[in-house]
């Protein structure tokens, strides 16, 4: 028996593949001809199954994709690899965790359930896994997830890490060194362009609005000449703030082997620099898995992992909004070394105070220490043939410590008068410390029995589990500390500073479950599967505590029917269908079924005084969020398994979607997006439907000295809100949630270009009476001759309706090449304020404004930017939510390109190596974008006024096995 990997379809399926073949040293194409039988094994709930016997919609990740993409996040490594799985890179600094959704979004709480080696885990745990430790990843997307009940409504991600392969010890070493740069940085005009546009803005506003007087030609000439940089600088703030390049270094080593006791152990270290020059991350990981066969009937397994992630920022952090706002005419530093105080010949107290470089270097420091331990001990006992008893006890503990010091700041000196600017000083420092910890103890017992009777196969699985979870937190803040950098909350004396705040919190829940599954097949041709799960959670009132989640699945192997067997070009063909329900409690707090008070504290005269403050209103009738999924699919392989395909049609209905109750403001109850501040109780308030289609296609060909594959996947999802409590729309910033609409709908005014003089002459309805030619032209949707709030409507959506992925690769002799692409379509992003609007709050001006604005000389009603106006003078343009500020976020991106070379076997055998491969990789280097207006934003970014940039990476690495 020999393990061998095949490429199975466009979903890039290749979990654990068992190949029965004769041992041979022939070329690859000869080996393929000798294959007698190929069976892929995928993970299912509480077990494994052969892919051919699975009736649910289950996708597996090709391990080769993981190995060929040296990323700092496992989640990012699978982006584009699976249909119906949407991953947003979640632009952020070191340590950020991408968002992952399966088959669209609901009202809230759309995260899938993560199970790693049978242990309940989090998105962060999954993201930080080392690809070298992964044996198998499967994603349950339909009713097959019902075996996990209340938390499986939005999919389940199952992970199995590597176990010892047996035999002689094998040692593998993987290393890569990477260099990261921004995919895009905002392109702002230089100081000269800024000054000219500011003059134009004042002219357009008739000199009535503005913070500064216009620039004289002499000032513009001095700035252009660069001869007096102290008074007339030209500062590229992004260049001065961020590193040109950030380094990443990753080292991993693992050992495996054994006989009766098989083992796998790995040790890894990742060091990643931030683009912020003061910041970096170190991540240490350790894993050990053992399997001990104590007898023919008893096997004992252990899984232990520990990940420690430390983020250290020796600076005060970078405020991306202030960075986007500051003007190029402002000096970073004066020639005498002082921090900049002069803006185009005049002292600017505001920008002197918000200087992002100064605040990062001198503003303070930040340190976080994130540790996660997961351990499980399990035993499998087989008292009789086909009869198994499995038991597992697992424990996980997460500890997070944060310390943030905000320094005192000396005042910036006025370069023109030499006097200190008092407004730029920070007289009082402070130190914040936070500790969070959670513990989860889980026990589960499984009993299974399988039996073949003639052509009939039965398997019955029953199980029960119990969880005990406790979360604790402590937070304190201390100010007026005598010396910057004293990271302590220990003392309360005047000398040691003032303790401003000290509070702690403990939360707990218990969770118990019982579940069962029955599998039946006849001649491995007709398959039936039934699931039932019952869950009880202490988060609900006693009368609503239990939830019941049934599911049913069936499939038919058409290729085993006589009318198909004669069609030689068909190798496999399976029709499958499923129906079932699961749940979600992602948005439920621990005590939301009851009204409660919170503890708090304040300090009076250096004495801590305890207090009881309003916590949250309870709602005893709150119940499970139920998600009912229907799925029908067709899988097949053709032409000697060179062509594979899979098609799925699905409908997922969320019943009783959980959201915060929208109480009247007169009640005095605080409604806030921050769960720590929100006092509104959650209720089962709506029904949401997601339906769509997923298609995967693949081609795989072996030839002399190599092989070739191409895989593609496509998914289209339609989201509809069917009902809401009281049918009242819910508003949140730019978005609206309403019956008949979709999650992620933008709400505002439609526009029709820019106003012309003819429009003014013809009394075209204006939203603002002050609007003039060159201002945004809003559409009178209801046709009543007036543009007002009644003309607001849905103007776009930020959830991609269409996602797709593509992978191409192959091997020729000792060279290998892989290319992975990913894209989305029919999606928008809302960019306003500093991200797109000229002079907003005194901000700089994007290059696209200079290149595409309306002017009296070019009164184009379809210009990409309206007439420029100073800050405060363009309310009719920049103060209105409209589709003018919606940008197309569709894109196709080559996520990864990897070229590798493996040294010939006869060369490395002499030095004791089994494998030695070197490779180079490009990540996020090539992008085709849908939007043609602003070309300096990353299409994966969220709607925001500013953000940390997304990154592209070039890596060089080695894989060696001894």
């Amino acid at each position: 028996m020999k393990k061998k990997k095949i490429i199975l379809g466009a979903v890039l399926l290749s979990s654990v593949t068992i190949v029965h073949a004769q041992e041979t040293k022939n070329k690859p194409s000869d080996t393929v001809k000798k294959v007698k039988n190929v069976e892929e094994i995928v993970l299912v709930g509480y077990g494994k199954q052969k892919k051919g016997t699975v009736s649910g919609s289950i996708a597996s990740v090709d391990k080769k994709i993981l190995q060929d993409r040296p990323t700092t996040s496992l989640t990012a490594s699978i982006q584009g690899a699976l249909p119906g799985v949407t991953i947003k890179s979640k632009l952020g600094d070191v340590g950020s965790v991408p968002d992952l959704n399966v088959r669209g979004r609901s009202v809230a709480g759309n995260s899938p359930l993560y199970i790693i080696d049978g242990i309940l885990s989090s998105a962060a745990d999954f993201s930080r896994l080392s690809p070298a430790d992964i044996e198998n990843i499967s994603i349950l997307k339909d009713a097959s997830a019902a075996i996990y009940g209340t938390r499986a409504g939005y999919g389940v991600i199952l992970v199995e890490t590597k176990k010892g392969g047996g035999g002689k010890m094998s040692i593998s070493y993987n290393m890569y060194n990477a260099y990261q740069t921004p995919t895009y940085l905002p392109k702002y005009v230089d100081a000269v362009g800024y000054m000219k546009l500011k003059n134009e803005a004042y002219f357009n506003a008739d000199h009535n609005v503005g913070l500064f007087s216009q620039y004289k030609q002499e000032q513009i000439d001095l700035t252009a000449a660069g001869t007096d940089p102290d008074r007339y600088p030209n500062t590229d703030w992004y260049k001065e703030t961020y590193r040109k390049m950030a380094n990443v270094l990753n080292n991993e080593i693992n050992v495996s082997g054994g006989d009766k006791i098989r083992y796998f152990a790995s040790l890894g270290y990742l060091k990643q620099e931030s683009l912020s020059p003061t910041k970096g991350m170190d991540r240490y990981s350790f894993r050990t898995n053992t399997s001990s066969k104590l007898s023919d009937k008893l096997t004992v397994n252990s899984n232990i992992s520990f990940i420690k992630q430390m983020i250290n920022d020796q600076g005060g952090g970078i405020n991306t909004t202030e960075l986007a706002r500051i003007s190029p005419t402002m000096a970073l530093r004066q020639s005498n070394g002082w921090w900049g105080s002069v803006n185009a010949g005049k002292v600017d107290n505001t920008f002197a105070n918000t200087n992002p470089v100064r605040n990062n270097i001198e503003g303070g420091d930040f340190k976080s220490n994130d540790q996660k331990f997961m351990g499980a001990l399990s035993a499998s006992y087989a008292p009789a043939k086909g009869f198994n008893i499995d038991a597992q006890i697992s424990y996980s503990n997460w500890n997070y410590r944060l310390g943030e010091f905000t320094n005192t700041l000396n005042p910036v000196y006025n370069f023109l008068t030499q006097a200190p600017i008092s407004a730029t000083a920070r007289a009082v420092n402070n130190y914040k410390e936070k500790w969070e910890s959670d513990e989860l103890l889980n026990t589960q017992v499984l009993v299974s029995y399988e039996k073949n009777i003639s052509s009939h196969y039965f398997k019955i699985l029953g199980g029960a589990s119990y969880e005990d979870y406790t979360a604790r937190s402590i937070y304190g803040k201390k100010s007026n500390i005598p010396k910057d950098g004293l990271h302590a909350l220990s003392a309360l004396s005047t000398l040691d500073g003032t303790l401003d705040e000290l509070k702690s919190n403990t939360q707990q829940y218990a969770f118990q479950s019982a579940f069962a599954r029955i599998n039946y097949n006849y001649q491995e041709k007709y398959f039936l599967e039934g699931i039932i799960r019952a869950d009880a959670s202490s988060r609900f009132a006693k009368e609503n505590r239990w939830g019941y989640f049934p599911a049913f699945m069936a499939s038919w192997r058409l290729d085993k029917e006589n009318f198909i067997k004669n069609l030689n070009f068909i190798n496999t063909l399976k029709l499958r269908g499923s129906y079932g329900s699961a749940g979600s409690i992602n948005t439920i707090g621990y005590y939301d079924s009851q009204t409660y008070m919170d503890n708090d504290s304040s300090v009076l005269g250096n004495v801590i005084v305890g207090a009881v403050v309003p916590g949250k209103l309870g709602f005893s009738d709150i119940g499970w969020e139920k998600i009912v999924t229907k799925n029908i699919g067709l899988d097949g392989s053709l032409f000697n398994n060179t062509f594979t395909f899979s098609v799925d049609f699905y409908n997922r209905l969320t019943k009783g979607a959980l959201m915060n109750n929208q109480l009247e403001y007169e009640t005095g109850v605080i409604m806030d997006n921050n769960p720590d501040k929100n006092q509104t109780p959650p209720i089962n308030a709506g029904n949401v439907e997601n339906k769509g289609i997923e298609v995967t296609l693949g081609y795989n060909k072996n030839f002399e000295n190599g092989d070739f594959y191409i895989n593609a996947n496509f998914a289209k999802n339609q989201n509809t809100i069917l009902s809401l409590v009281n049918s009242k729309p819910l508003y949140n910033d730019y978005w609206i949630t309403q019956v008949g609409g979709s999650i992620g709908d933008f709400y505002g005014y439609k526009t029709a270009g820019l106003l012309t003089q003819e429009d003014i002459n013809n009394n075209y309805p204006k939203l603002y009476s002050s609007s003039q030619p060159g201002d945004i032209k809003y559409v009178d949707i209801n046709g009543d001759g007036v543009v007002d709030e009644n003309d607001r409507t849905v103007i776009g959506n930020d959830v991609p309706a269409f996602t797709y992925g593509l992978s191409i690769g192959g091997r020729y002799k000792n060279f290998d090449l892989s290319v992975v692409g990913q894209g989305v379509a029919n999606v928008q992003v809302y960019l306003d304020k500093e991200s797109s609007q000229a002079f907003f709050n005194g901000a700089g001006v994007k290059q696209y404004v200079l290149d595409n604005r309306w002017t009296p000389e070019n009164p184009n009603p379809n210009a990409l930017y309206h007439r420029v106006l100073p800050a405060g003078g363009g309310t009719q343009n920049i103060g209105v939510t409209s589709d003018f500020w919606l940008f197309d976020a569709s894109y196709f991106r080559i996520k990864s390109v990897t070229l590798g070379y493996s040294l010939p076997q006869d060369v490395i055998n002499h030095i004791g190596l089994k494998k030695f491969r070197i490779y180079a990789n490009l990540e996020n280097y090539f992008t085709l974008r849908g939007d043609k207006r602003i070309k300096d934003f990353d299409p994966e970014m969220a709607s925001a006024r500013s953000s940390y940039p997304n990154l592209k990476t070039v890596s060089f690495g080695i894989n060696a096995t001894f």
Side-chain angles (χ1 to χ4, degrees):
M1 184 176 291
K2 176 182 177 184
K3 285 190 176 181
K4 191 171 183 66
K5 177 171 172 288
I6 64 169
I7 305 298
L8 182 64
V11 283
L12 311 175
L13 304 174
S14 79
S15 308
V16 178
T17 305
I18 302 173
V19 179
H20 302 275
Q22 300 176 10
E23 292 294 333
T24 177
K25 295 183 179 179
N26 294 339
K27 57 194 177 185
S29 56
D30 290 337
T31 302
V32 171
K33 293 177 182 178
K34 296 180 181 292
V35 172
K36 304 296 184 183
N37 186 32
V38 177
E39 296 175 305
E40 184 191 2
I41 304 299
V42 298
L43 301 177
V44 297
Y46 302 100
K48 300 178 183 180
Q49 282 183 230
K50 293 184 292 185
K51 179 68 177 178
T53 68
V54 169
S55 299
S57 180
I58 301 176
S60 297
V61 179
D62 184 353
K63 288 186 294 184
K64 190 177 187 303
I65 293 295
L66 306 180
Q67 296 165 1
D68 286 347
R69 293 181 67 175
T71 65
T72 58
S73 165
L74 179 64
T75 311
S77 296
I78 65 174
Q79 190 174 17
L82 298 167
V85 178
T86 303
I87 297 173
K88 180 176 284 188
S89 62
K90 196 176 182 180
L91 310 185
D93 212 341
V94 292
S96 63
V97 178
D99 287 330
L100 187 152
N101 290 116
V102 179
R103 290 182 168 177
R105 296 201 320 221
S106 183
V107 175
N110 306 278
S111 298
L113 177 69
Y114 294 86
I115 305 290
I116 301 173
D117 288 330
I119 305 174
L120 185 68
S121 306
S122 68
D125 298 331
F126 177 79
S127 182
R128 294 169 188 173
L129 282 173
S130 166
D133 290 353
I134 302 300
E135 180 63 33
N136 199 345
I137 299 176
S138 292
I139 301 180
L140 314 183
K141 298 191 287 184
D142 67 345
S144 57
I147 192 70
Y148 289 103
T150 57
R151 289 170 291 199
Y154 299 108
V156 179
I157 298 179
L158 301 174
V159 181
E160 179 188 25
T161 59
K162 290 180 179 177
K163 308 295 188 292
K168 186 180 178 181
M169 178 188 290
S170 175
I171 302 175
S172 295
Y173 173 68
N174 302 294
M175 182 278 293
Y176 69 83
N177 196 16
Y179 304 93
Q180 297 184 317
T181 54
T183 53
Y184 297 92
L185 281 179
K187 293 182 180 178
Y188 286 88
V189 298
D190 64 8
V192 172
Y194 177 87
M195 297 167 87
K196 290 181 178 179
L197 279 174
K198 198 69 172 285
N199 282 351
E200 182 179 317
Y202 277 99
F203 178 82
N204 289 339
D206 295 327
H207 307 276
N208 291 328
V209 183
L211 297 176
F212 304 102
S213 60
Q214 298 182 55
Y215 300 107
K216 298 178 180 178
Q217 188 60 45
E218 177 187 1
Q219 294 173 299
I220 297 175
D221 293 340
L222 283 170
T223 302
T227 54
D228 189 1
D230 277 317
R231 290 174 174 80
Y232 298 98
N234 186 2
T235 307
D236 184 334
W237 284 97
Y238 279 86
K239 180 180 178 181
E240 298 291 345
T241 302
Y242 288 130
R243 280 190 176 112
K244 292 182 179 179
M245 183 178 294
N247 183 255
V248 181
L249 178 64
N250 185 73
N251 283 277
E252 299 171 337
I253 187 168
N254 63 66
V255 297
S256 64
D259 187 10
K260 289 188 177 181
I261 300 179
R262 297 189 176 190
Y263 57 87
F264 173 85
S266 68
L267 184 66
Y269 171 64
L270 172 70
K271 184 176 182 63
Q272 182 182 11
E273 292 179 338
S274 167
L275 288 180
S276 170
T278 61
K279 190 174 184 181
M281 181 187 77
D282 295 273
R283 182 189 299 162
Y284 301 88
S285 60
F286 170 76
R287 177 177 301 279
T288 176
N289 298 332
T290 65
S291 178
S292 304
K293 191 172 181 61
L294 302 183
S295 69
D296 291 338
K297 295 183 178 182
L298 179 62
T299 302
V300 176
N301 304 302
S302 69
N303 303 86
I304 296 174
S305 71
F306 178 75
I307 296 177
K308 180 184 179 76
Q309 178 172 285
M310 298 177 294
I311 297 176
N312 187 2
D313 192 344
Q314 295 298 322
I318 295 173
N319 186 319
T320 58
T321 300
E322 298 294 354
L323 174 59
R325 179 179 299 157
I326 197 164
S327 163
T329 55
M330 180 71 193
L332 169 63
R333 283 187 184 271
Q334 308 298 158
S335 58
N336 62 1
W338 290 353
W339 287 111
S341 59
V342 180
N343 183 354
K346 296 183 178 181
V347 169
D348 188 331
N349 293 356
T350 300
F351 282 159
N353 189 44
T354 61
N355 182 331
V357 178
R358 172 195 179 227
N359 288 329
N360 185 42
I361 293 177
E362 297 183 350
D365 60 68
F366 170 97
K367 294 180 181 179
S368 69
N369 190 323
D370 190 329
Q371 302 178 21
K372 183 64 177 278
F373 169 86
M374 293 194 297
L377 181 65
S378 62
S380 179
Y381 180 62
K385 183 178 180 180
F387 184 42
N388 264 77
I389 302 173
D390 296 276
Q392 176 175 286
I393 181 168
S394 64
Y395 172 80
S396 64
N397 174 242
W398 173 68
N399 270 283
Y400 177 76
R401 298 193 304 274
L402 175 149
E404 182 178 3
F405 203 103
T406 302
N407 288 345
T408 57
L409 287 176
N410 294 322
V412 174
Y413 279 79
N414 183 321
F415 181 75
L416 302 181
T417 67
Q418 311 293 301
I421 306 172
S422 59
T424 63
R426 185 190 296 151
V428 178
N429 57 20
N430 68 74
Y431 175 61
K432 301 173 186 176
E433 189 166 289
K434 187 176 185 179
W435 171 79
E436 294 180 282
S437 176
D438 66 32
E439 295 178 293
L440 175 64
L441 179 66
N442 176 267
T443 58
Q444 65 184 38
V445 177
L446 309 174
V447 179
S448 64
Y449 180 73
E450 61 181 337
K451 181 72 173 178
N452 279 295
I453 304 175
S454 185
S455 298
H456 303 272
Y457 169 82
F458 301 88
K459 184 174 183 179
I460 300 174
L461 169 74
S465 67
Y466 177 80
E467 296 174 24
D468 190 293
Y469 177 88
T470 302
R472 297 180 178 89
S473 65
I474 299 175
Y475 172 81
K477 179 182 177 183
K478 186 176 183 179
S479 63
N480 203 24
I481 301 167
K483 181 178 174 57
D484 289 342
L486 291 178
H487 300 75
L489 299 172
S490 57
L492 301 179
S493 68
T494 304
L495 178 63
D496 290 322
T498 303
L499 191 63
D500 300 307
E501 192 173 1
L502 180 64
K503 60 183 178 180
S504 65
N505 192 26
T506 299
Q507 295 178 314
Q508 295 177 300
Y509 75 75
F511 203 93
Q512 63 185 43
S513 309
F515 47 88
R517 178 175 60 216
I518 182 169
N519 294 83
Y520 166 79
N521 78 64
Y522 176 70
Q523 293 184 341
E524 292 205 348
K525 185 188 300 186
Y526 311 108
F527 300 86
L528 299 175
E529 183 173 339
I531 294 173
I532 182 67
R533 177 158 176 142
D535 286 329
S537 173
S538 62
R539 298 190 189 192
F540 298 97
K542 289 183 179 180
E543 58 271 22
N544 296 321
R545 188 155 290 171
W546 283 94
Y548 301 93
F549 305 94
F552 178 78
M553 288 166 281
S555 59
W556 178 18
R557 285 290 298 269
L558 294 163
D559 57 283
K560 295 194 175 184
E561 299 289 355
N562 290 330
F563 63 88
I564 295 291
K565 284 183 178 179
N566 295 329
L567 301 176
N568 294 330
F569 68 93
I570 296 179
N571 301 110
T572 62
L573 189 63
K574 181 173 67 174
L575 179 66
R576 48 185 168 76
S578 65
Y579 177 90
S581 66
S584 174
I585 55 174
N586 290 340
T587 55
I588 292 295
Y590 299 111
Y591 315 113
D592 285 347
S593 63
Q594 52 189 306
T595 299
Y596 62 90
M597 305 295 284
D598 260 340
N599 67 308
D600 205 344
S601 66
S602 60
V603 178
L604 300 175
N606 269 351
V607 176
I608 301 176
V609 178
V612 177
V613 297
K616 198 170 194 177
L617 291 179
F619 186 63
S620 60
D621 287 339
I622 189 172
W624 298 102
E625 182 175 286
K626 284 195 174 182
I627 297 94
V628 178
T629 302
K630 306 172 200 174
N631 194 97
I632 185 169
L634 183 68
D635 305 324
S637 60
L638 311 173
F639 306 111
N640 199 26
N641 293 313
T642 58
F643 178 74
T644 58
F645 66 90
S646 180
V647 181
D648 278 272
F649 296 89
Y650 65 88
N651 181 294
R652 188 180 73 196
L653 176 63
T654 300
K655 295 182 177 181
L658 292 163
M659 65 183 74
N660 291 323
N661 194 4
Q662 302 295 302
L663 301 178
E664 299 297 332
Y665 286 101
E666 289 78 8
T667 63
V669 177
I670 297 174
M671 291 175 283
D672 198 285
N673 291 329
N674 184 341
D676 293 332
K677 299 178 181 178
N678 185 47
Q679 295 178 344
T680 59
I683 58 173
N684 300 99
N687 293 343
V688 181
E689 180 185 62
N690 282 277
K691 60 183 179 180
I693 180 174
E694 299 168 352
V695 179
T696 65
L697 303 170
Y699 176 80
N700 179 40
K701 181 68 174 178
N702 291 277
F703 55 87
E704 186 175 1
N705 294 322
D707 54 58
F708 170 78
Y709 67 86
I710 179 169
N711 301 308
N713 65 76
F714 314 88
K716 188 178 189 305
N717 182 78
Q718 180 180 336
N719 175 278
T720 306
I721 301 168
L722 302 180
S723 65
L724 289 172
V725 62
N726 300 324
S727 297
K728 291 183 179 179
L730 307 176
Y731 302 94
N732 182 17
D733 294 333
Y734 313 118
W735 294 273
I736 185 172
T737 303
Q738 62 181 341
V739 175
S742 300
I743 302 300
D745 278 346
F746 291 108
Y747 186 68
Y749 292 91
K750 284 188 176 293
T751 62
L754 304 176
L755 289 169
T756 64
Q757 187 60 53
E758 183 180 0
D759 292 326
I760 302 297
N761 296 339
N762 293 333
N763 294 317
Y764 183 90
K766 298 183 293 185
L767 183 62
Y768 286 83
S769 59
S770 58
S771 295
Q772 298 181 26
D775 289 335
I776 296 174
K777 182 178 182 179
Y778 302 100
V779 177
D780 177 15
I781 293 291
N782 60 13
D784 63 357
V786 177
V787 176
D788 57 21
E789 62 180 11
N790 296 315
D791 293 301
R792 290 180 298 172
T793 186
V794 173
I795 55 176
N797 192 279
D798 69 353
V799 181
F802 185 68
T803 61
Y804 55 100
L806 177 70
S807 65
I808 302 173
R811 180 180 60 84
Y812 179 71
K813 294 185 178 180
N814 295 320
F815 289 93
D816 61 87
L817 175 68
S818 69
V819 180
V820 178
Q822 177 261 340
V824 301
N826 295 339
V827 60
Q828 290 84 36
V829 62
Y830 198 90
L831 303 177
D832 65 347
K833 301 181 174 65
E834 290 86 0
S835 61
S836 64
Q837 296 172 345
F839 306 119
F840 178 85
N841 266 1
V845 183
K846 286 287 194 75
Q847 183 66 39
Y848 95 104
V849 175
L850 179 64
D851 296 338
N852 301 287
R853 72 197 186 284
W854 181 98
T855 64
E857 295 76 25
N858 180 33
N860 180 5
N862 296 312
L864 300 184
Y865 197 85
H866 53 77
R867 66 184 183 120
V868 292
L869 293 167
T875 305
Q876 66 270 36
N877 294 320
I878 68 175
V880 180
T881 301
S882 74
D883 62 5
F884 196 86
W885 307 111
L886 276 181
F887 296 87
D888 189 354
S890 304
Y891 69 88
F892 176 70
R893 171 167 279 168
I894 301 297
K895 298 296 297 184
S896 176
V897 180
T898 306
L899 176 63
Y901 176 76
S902 299
L903 293 180
Q905 201 66 43
D906 56 356
V907 173
I908 63 176
N909 282 342
H910 297 297
I911 55 176
L913 286 173
K914 298 177 184 177
K915 172 186 176 182
F916 190 86
R917 174 177 175 264
I918 58 175
Y919 65 90
N921 170 269
L922 297 176
E923 194 82 13
N924 288 343
Y925 255 83
F926 310 102
T927 304
L928 297 175
R929 48 189 302 133
D931 195 88
K932 305 303 180 185
R933 290 185 296 165
I934 302 184
K935 299 179 181 180
D936 62 348
F937 77 94
D938 193 288
E940 290 192 71
M941 76 178 292
S943 300
R945 60 198 297 181
S946 63
S947 68
Y948 184 88
N950 201 358
L951 302 174
K952 57 185 178 182
T953 307
V954 56
S955 308
F956 303 94
I958 61 172
N959 309 126
T961 302
F962 302 88

